[in-house]
Amino acid sequence: KKERNAVILAHNYMTPEIYHGVADVVGDSLQLAIEATRAEADVIVQCGVHFMAETAKILNPAKTVLIPDMEAGCSLAESITPAGIAEMRARYPGAPVVTYVNTSAEIKAESDICCTSSNAVEIVESLGAGRVIFLPDEFLGRYVAGRTAVEIILWHGHCEVHERFRAEDLRAYRESYPGIQIFAHPECPPDVLAEADYVGSTSGLIRHVEATRPERVMLVTECSMSDNVAAENPDIEFIRPCNLCPHMKRISLPGILHSLETLEYQIEVDPSIAARARLAVERMLEVGRGSGG
Ligand code: 13P
Ligand code: SF4
């Protein structure tokens, strides 16, 4: 890392040996995007999925941005194409397009503004529009719709990890573990979120654990995060249903070492796409650096 003058940015879903062992900065998608704009190192190693590395490259194009595994994708990013956005714009003329950052640069380039799970409501309301097209995450869109008067037009993308949680399982956990606090990520289905005591981005969930210090808690999100937070809070009991993100789990310590040794795999974004995508991401950063959710 020193030889390459590299900085390692790691998402909260990385395994503990990455999160606690080698990362310089950890965070949710919004924090990692902000850190990418500030990075002064020559090389950014993005330990997360492809759209996160692409966002770093879009925001700081002069840097060499590496991802240890090019195949680390995201089911949400896969769920929408430029033709899909064009279809929505044609169906709802004049409605601005708010795009979750879990998308490719090509999709961001076709959007008016981006959002993350920590600022989605704030971003939607910042537009002053009566209705907005929100894509691609249907469940995050439904969550936003429940917290704003703005009409939300939904797309049908889902996170393959969070869509697997079931409300009846959460109710069973409550019965088996009296006093348990349940904190959930807004990519979960609405009936799951209805069972939660708190809903927030991955960093929002961590902050809420640390602020409220429950005796026992369940984080309804990708399961490495509980390992990371549990290591720092040994007095809190974490109940852990384990849903792993197969894409996030492609990033490993040997893979990171390989990236640093070989400068593989470099993220490149077509400059004309990057310029338009940057506008949508920068508009987001101007509006909302996270409302703490
Ligand atoms: P956060 O922005 O909350 O970290 O979410 C990213 C993600 O991919 C969740 O599945
Ligand atoms: Fe995408 Fe879901 Fe994995 Fe997050 S957890 S990277 S939303 S597939």
Side-chain angles (χ1 to χ4, degrees), residues 13 49 51 73-76 102 159-162 187 222 245 247-248:
Y13 291 164
V49 291
F51 76 81
C74 171
S75 66
L76 282 168
N102 294 39
C159 162
E160 67 186 80
V161 178
H162 290 85
E187 289 171 8
E222 210 269 356
C245 172
H247 311 290
M248 291 279 183

Side-chain angles (χ1 to χ4, degrees), residues 18-146:
I18 299 173
Y19 183 95
H20 291 294
V22 299
D24 295 297
V25 177
V26 292
D28 64 9
S29 309
L30 182 66
Q31 290 169 312
L32 296 180
I34 292 169
E35 285 303 326
T37 65
R38 293 181 183 149
E40 284 175 3
D42 298 321
V43 174
I44 297 173
V45 183
Q46 183 75 52
C47 297
V49 291
H50 189 268
F51 76 81
M52 295 177 177
E54 227 179 28
T55 304
K57 184 69 181 177
I58 289 165
L59 289 170
N60 209 337
K63 305 294 178 190
T64 299
V65 177
L66 305 177
I67 186 163
D69 190 324
M70 273 292 187
E71 301 298 312
C74 171
S75 66
L76 282 168
E78 289 300 312
S79 72
I80 179 80
T81 60
I85 298 198
E87 180 197 318
M88 294 297 267
R89 283 200 191 273
R91 211 186 302 165
Y92 303 97
V97 173
V98 177
T99 294
Y100 194 29
V101 285
N102 294 39
T103 45
S104 67
E106 208 184 6
I107 295 298
K108 290 182 175 78
E110 299 295 326
S111 308
D112 294 293
I113 191 166
C114 288
C115 74
T116 75
S117 59
S118 70
N119 60 19
V121 176
E122 200 180 347
I123 296 294
V124 162
E125 296 200 328
S126 75
L127 299 171
R131 73 176 173 191
V132 306
I133 297 165
F134 188 96
L135 43 85
D137 188 349
E138 178 194 342
F139 296 150
L140 177 62
R142 286 193 191 280
Y143 173 72
V144 172

Side-chain angles (χ1 to χ4, degrees), residues 252-276:
S252 64
L253 277 185
I256 296 167
L257 181 60
H258 179 265
S259 276
L260 287 166
E261 283 173 343
T262 61
L263 292 182
E264 285 178 334
Y265 299 92
Q266 298 196 18
I267 300 286
E268 298 297 345
V269 185
D270 177 283
S272 70
I273 291 176
R276 288 185 295 132

Side-chain angles (χ1 to χ4, degrees), residues 153-278:
I153 311 294
L154 298 164
W155 187 251
H156 44 72
H158 296 150
C159 162
E160 67 186 80
V161 178
H162 290 85
E163 73 175 350
R164 296 208 307 268
F165 290 106
R166 294 278 166 262
E168 64 257 33
D169 295 342
L170 267 52
R171 287 193 287 272
Y173 277 108
R174 268 203 207 282
E175 276 190 19
S176 309
Y177 296 95
I180 193 173
Q181 286 287 297
I182 297 181
F183 302 165
H185 193 277
E187 289 171 8
C188 294
D191 59 340
V192 169
L193 296 183
E195 295 294 331
D197 299 300
Y198 174 80
V199 176
S201 77
T202 55
S203 289
L205 301 180
I206 298 173
R207 282 193 295 269
H208 202 66
V209 168
E210 290 176 345
T212 58
R213 308 208 65 76
E215 267 175 41
R216 44 169 59 146
V217 66
M218 184 163 98
L219 301 181
V220 187
T221 191
E222 210 269 356
C223 85
S224 292
M225 213 177 81
S226 294
D227 299 338
N228 294 331
V229 192
E232 283 175 332
N233 297 279
D235 53 321
I236 299 176
E237 184 188 1
F238 286 79
I239 308 300
R240 309 177 202 196
C242 195
N243 285 359
L244 286 167
C245 172
H247 311 290
M248 291 279 183
K249 298 297 92 116
R250 298 185 82 99
I251 310 301
S252 64
L253 277 185
I256 296 167
L257 181 60
H258 179 265
S259 276
L260 287 166
E261 283 173 343
T262 61
L263 292 182
E264 285 178 334
Y265 299 92
Q266 298 196 18
I267 300 286
E268 298 297 345
V269 185
D270 177 283
S272 70
I273 291 176
R276 288 185 295 132
R278 190 176 311 123

